[in-house]
Amino acid sequence: MAEIGRRQFLRGGALATAGAAAVAVSGPEARAAVAPARVAYPANRLANIADLTVNEPLDVAYPDDDAPGVLLKLGHPVEGGVGPEGDVVGFSTICPHKGYPLFYNAEDRTLNCPGHFSRFDPEAGGQQVWGQATQNLPQYVLRVDDDGEIHAEGVDELLYGRLSNVL
């Protein structure tokens, strides 16, 4: 292993920190320009905006009947949210860790796994906030038409148990 001097080590650390800071301050415009990774399943109608109540999950299945999921109306705009208020999101309800079915806890507004206690935050794009899972919860790419119909048009991650990105 090559030895490096103290000044060279500090200079490298300073450059890495400056690069990370430049990425962090690039703003929402730059982040919006990067398209999220997504699995393009066929579009499917899931529900209507009128079917949703704030903080009450609506069970759905996407992209097929073997893939349970949920739609949530969160009551305030969130990243990835659709609808008039930008507050409707959808997620797979199969834990990406070991495939246990998730349940929604309305009190702390998280999706929880009874198997190994992973918890996911739907207000943060399904980000894991606790537990054994090693990836975030797959989120549906949603669209709402002029009649309030909610359509799923893909998923941002591979669904648990799927060996490929196709049906």
Side-chain angles (χ1 to χ4, degrees), residues 39-61:
V39 181
Y41 290 116
N44 193 10
R45 179 198 176 277
L46 299 180
N48 188 289
I49 291 281
D51 300 332
L52 302 176
T53 303
V54 173
N55 206 29
E56 289 185 21
L58 178 67
D59 291 333
V60 295

Side-chain angles (χ1 to χ4, degrees), residues 1 18 21 31 44 53 64-65 70 76-77 79 84 91 103 114 131 135:
M1 188 159 120
R31 285 191 297 274
N44 193 10
T53 303
D64 54 43
D65 291 339
V70 67
H76 59 274
E79 188 173 339
F91 296 94
F103 65 91
Q135 73 183 57

